[in-house]
Structure formats: C-alpha cells, structure tokens
Amino acid sequence: MTTANISIGSAGDEYPVHAGSVGPQVIDIRKLYANTGRFTYDPGFTSTASCESKITYIDGDEGILLYRGYPIEQLAEQSSFLEVAHLLLNGDLPNAEQNVEFTRNITRHTMIHEQLATFYRGFRRDAHPMAIMCGIVGAMAAFYHDSTDIHDPKQRVIASHRIIAKMPTLAAMAYKYSIGQPFLYPDNSLSFAGNFLRMTFGVPAEPYEIDPVVEDAMEKLLILQADHEQNASTSTVRLAGSSGANPFACISAGIACLWGPAHGGANEAALNMLREIGRPERIPEFIARAKNKDDPFRLMGFGHRVYKNYDPRAKVMAGVAKNVLDRMGISDPIFDVARELEQIALNDPYFIDKKLYPNVDFYSGVVMSAIGFPTSMFTVLFAISRAVGWIAQWTEMMEDPEQRIGRPRQLYTGHDRREYVPLSQRG
C-alpha cells in the first residue's frame, strides 16, 4: 500500500512510500539509480527491505514475534509443530479436517529413497553432521524429479512436503552414522517430534519409550525456530531461489548458511560459555570481564541483531529448560549459572542500557544437551525446524509477480582501469 511520496536528492525526484500492515514504512528506491545514477550503500542490509512478505513479523524494540499474525508464545504453548508448519505454508492454522490431511501428507513422505541412504557411507564417520546435511539435501534433487519443476504449483507443494517430512529422517541418519549405529526407519504412528527422537536415540534391539516432557520440549523447540523473517539463511534461500534453482538446492544453500557460528551455531557458543563459567559463584568474575572492553570474553546468548528487548522465544525456552532438567533429574550447575546470569543481566544497569537481554540461544543449548544431543547436532536440529520457514519463504517468493533474480550492487574501491604489462617488463 502506497501512502505518500518522498523527495530524495537535489533533483527533487519523488519515490513512493509503502506501508505494511504493521511495522515501519519503506521507501521504494527501485528507480533511484535510473533517476540519480547512484546506489544506496547498506552493508548487511540492515536498512533494506529485499522483499514483501506475509509470513513473519518481528518488532525487535517491543520483543514481538508473530507467525502469520499469531504471537509465538501462544503457538509454542498451544499448537503442534505440524499445525505451525501448515500455518507458515498456507497462511492459516488448519481446522480439524485440514490438520488430518496435512499430517497425512507429511507422514507419507518421511521415508527416503533407499539408494539415497547409501550416500552416507561416502562420508567419514567423523564428518560434521551439517556437512552431511548440505550434501544429502542437495542430492535429493537427483532422486525426486517429480518435484523439481518450480513453475508447477503441484510440484512445489510436493517438494515442500518432502522437505519438511524427510529432514528429521536425514538428520537422525547423520547422527546414527556418526556413532556407528544402524539407521531406524520412521514410525508414522508417532508425532513429528516423537518420530525424530525415536530415530535419533532408539535402537532396533529394543522398543524406544518417548518421554512426553522431552517430546513436548522438542515440539516447542521446533516451533520457536521455524521462521525468523529475512535472516541470513532465509535470505540465502530466497537469493538462490531467485535464480530458478530447484527447492532442494535452495534448502541446501540455507543449511550451509545456517552452519555459520554467527547464525545457527550461536546456541552452541552460549552453552560453551556456561560451561566455561562452571559455577554460579564465578558469575561476577565473568560479568566484570564482559564489561571490560580490553577483555576478549563476551557473554554469548545475550543481545540480538533484531531484538532490543527480551526475546519472546527465550521466555518460552526458559520454562522448557526447567521442565526438561526437572523431569530427567538433572542437577546441572550449568542451568543454575544460566538462571542466575539471566537475573543479573536483567537487573544490571550495564545490560539494561545496552539492551542485552537473553535470547533463545541462551537456553536452547541447555535443553538440547539435557535431551542428549551432542553439540555437533545443535545446528542440525535448527535446520529441521527452519526448513519449514525456508520452504514457506521460497514458495512465497515463487508466487510473487515482482520476483526478480537477486543482484546486489557494490561500492567499488579497487584499481581504476590500467593497461596490461607483459611479464618480461614488470619490475
């Protein structure tokens, strides 16, 4: 919706101002270069809207995260992951009939092509699971030719269902391969989270009992990480998709971006920090180090690129962490450190002034570690849930009539034109 025009530059050229349903207005500068011969310079794209989207809204100043208009806290407490997946993909929460149909469509795709399973043998046993996921997900395009035509709406839907359904299977297989245990086939009578837990921690020799508290924690973790607007990995998926790449290649690109420690690896860094602190009585020492600009130590899991308030996902995850540790009888000083560190940070003027509130990574690492996942699997779990947001964003982009191939500009600061000098004449 265009609300007004604004003049930019000495020539007085006017540019439309668009207003979304909520959030700040944006200036449409698509004709800026044609009118002025100039580009904008925005490293990290912190002031640039790259697309129009109806999926996720974040108000970082107020600590608000909405999926299709629904507060993340309500969805995490009351919904299932597959309901949220339906919401992100289709725009609304499913009714009872739609929920049954969508669940059936996902569960019928949980198995993978048997020949695809042999790919794992080509990796070293000590290969990082994210390296395996990048390769395996990209390789899916070689097996599912009936869902790679990006211009066919039906094939896009099938690809979406396959990606959501098969990610837990592929992730569990990556873990099993790393520890030398046999793969477990999916059990479609279980929930999405329960099935993943069984494939990850179960063995063929005996039945696997799913703890409802752990299952609930897994569901909430998946919901909280399902989408987060135009972050680095989501933008990567959209940029790859803008070239016309198949959806499996785009999701593989998103996994590669998520692997970075500044993105999906943040919860591992937060857990390592808590382990380094070790005991609550050592917190003042590390707080002092965090305030010292000359000390390289940084408090991980505090502050966020977007949130300048309490991360709403962290509120939910704090409760999840307590439930899991209580249920499993874990008396872990790391969680005591996390709780006390949170309270200090919430009341210390230094953290308040700098708006360094705990984010979701602060607690999610503790939860995943308590369930039994090694740190190498943390980002893999992130990829399972975020694949839903990625494929929803990819689908939205494919249906956008204004979608064009991504082509960011640059501020060139290299050499101007210079003439070639033969090798024999160079000093």
Side-chain angles (χ1 to χ4, degrees):
M1 175 182 177
T2 303
T3 60
N5 291 323
I6 189 171
S7 296
I8 299 178
S10 57
D13 298 308
E14 291 194 340
Y15 299 88
V17 177
H18 302 306
S21 49
V22 289
Q25 297 179 345
V26 299
I27 304 170
D28 187 339
I29 58 169
R30 281 177 286 187
K31 294 183 179 179
L32 180 68
Y33 178 59
N35 291 342
T36 68
R38 295 181 175 90
F39 302 135
T40 57
Y41 181 61
D42 185 20
F45 308 108
T46 57
S47 297
T48 300
S50 61
C51 64
E52 178 183 324
S53 181
K54 297 180 174 65
I55 298 174
T56 303
Y57 173 72
I58 299 171
D59 186 331
D61 292 332
E62 297 297 326
I64 293 172
L65 171 59
L66 307 177
Y67 289 172
R68 300 282 192 180
Y70 292 99
I72 189 65
E73 303 94 326
Q74 294 182 16
L75 292 172
E77 293 296 339
Q78 303 179 52
S79 193
S80 71
F81 178 68
L82 286 185
E83 284 184 279
V84 171
H86 183 282
L87 170 68
L88 292 174
L89 280 173
N90 301 300
D92 289 301
L93 288 167
N95 59 32
E97 182 179 347
Q98 291 170 332
N99 191 50
V100 170
E101 180 183 5
F102 183 74
T103 301
R104 182 173 60 247
N105 288 336
I106 297 300
T107 54
R108 68 186 294 264
H109 287 298
T110 53
M111 292 182 65
I112 65 169
H113 195 288
E114 196 69 13
Q115 194 172 344
L116 188 60
T118 65
F119 275 49
Y120 287 84
R121 299 175 189 170
F123 293 98
R124 288 172 48 132
R125 288 282 179 180
D126 60 352
H128 196 288
M130 284 295 279
I132 295 175
M133 293 296 288
C134 287
I136 292 290
V137 173
M140 288 172 67
F143 289 84
Y144 302 108
H145 302 293
D146 60 343
S147 55
T148 56
D149 183 352
I150 63 174
H151 302 294
D152 184 340
K154 291 184 178 179
Q155 291 201 25
R156 292 201 298 265
V157 170
I158 294 172
S160 300
H161 292 170
R162 279 179 169 152
I163 287 169
I164 294 170
K166 297 181 192 304
M167 283 291 286
T169 307
L170 297 172
M173 291 172 71
Y175 173 71
K176 286 296 192 184
Y177 184 76
S178 71
I179 60 175
Q181 288 187 0
F183 301 149
L184 263 65
Y185 287 113
D187 181 347
N188 290 343
S189 67
L190 302 176
S191 70
F192 189 92
N195 195 17
F196 173 61
L197 290 169
R198 175 189 165 274
M199 288 189 293
T200 303
F201 298 117
V203 292
E206 57 189 49
Y208 178 75
E209 297 293 331
I210 298 174
D211 189 310
V213 173
V214 175
E215 183 180 22
D216 180 69
M218 195 73 241
E219 284 275 336
K220 286 181 169 55
L221 184 68
L222 293 171
I223 290 172
L224 294 173
Q225 296 181 334
D227 196 54
H228 209 239
E229 210 206 61
Q230 306 308 315
N231 53 78
S233 57
T234 299
S235 297
T236 298
V237 171
R238 278 184 174 261
L239 190 60
S242 74
S243 72
N246 70 76
F248 304 108
C250 296
I251 299 304
S252 179
I255 292 172
C257 181
L258 187 70
W259 194 359
H263 190 6
N267 46 28
E268 181 178 350
L271 182 64
N272 289 337
M273 177 203 68
L274 294 173
R275 286 173 173 165
E276 182 182 359
I277 296 174
R279 305 185 306 275
E281 55 266 27
R282 297 190 65 196
I283 290 177
E285 168 194 344
F286 284 88
I287 291 286
R289 290 182 60 187
K291 294 178 181 180
N292 185 354
K293 294 181 180 180
D294 297 326
D295 193 312
F297 175 78
R298 294 291 180 269
L299 281 177
M300 306 303 296
F302 287 82
H304 195 275
R305 176 73 173 269
V306 174
Y307 295 108
K308 305 307 175 187
N309 203 319
Y310 204 116
D311 183 341
R313 301 168 300 170
K315 296 178 181 178
V316 178
M317 193 51 59
V320 170
K322 184 178 186 306
N323 291 340
V324 169
L325 292 175
D326 288 349
R327 174 68 173 185
M328 304 187 76
I330 298 175
S331 179
D332 194 333
I334 291 177
F335 186 65
D336 296 333
V337 170
R339 294 288 289 182
E340 188 162 337
L341 188 57
E342 175 199 31
Q343 292 305 312
I344 291 174
L346 290 176
N347 293 282
D348 190 311
Y350 174 85
F351 293 95
I352 295 172
D353 292 343
K354 293 184 177 295
K355 299 181 179 180
L356 296 176
Y357 299 96
N359 59 44
V360 68
D361 300 313
F362 184 69
Y363 288 109
S364 60
V366 174
V367 171
M368 289 185 285
S369 179
I371 291 174
F373 292 102
T375 53
S376 61
M377 282 292 292
F378 285 6
T379 317
V380 177
L381 268 66
F382 200 160
I384 293 172
S385 54
R386 187 54 58 87
V388 172
W390 288 336
I391 201 64
Q393 297 271 353
W394 176 83
T395 300
E396 183 181 64
M397 181 200 66
M398 294 304 303
E399 296 173 352
D400 185 354
E402 295 189 347
Q403 182 268 325
R404 301 174 62 190
I405 185 170
R407 181 57 172 87
R409 299 291 190 166
Q410 65 175 16
L411 175 63
Y412 178 70
T413 56
H415 287 286
D416 197 353
R417 177 187 171 92
R418 49 182 176 170
E419 299 301 323
Y420 179 82
V421 178
L423 178 61
S424 61
Q425 300 177 24
R426 296 176 207 158

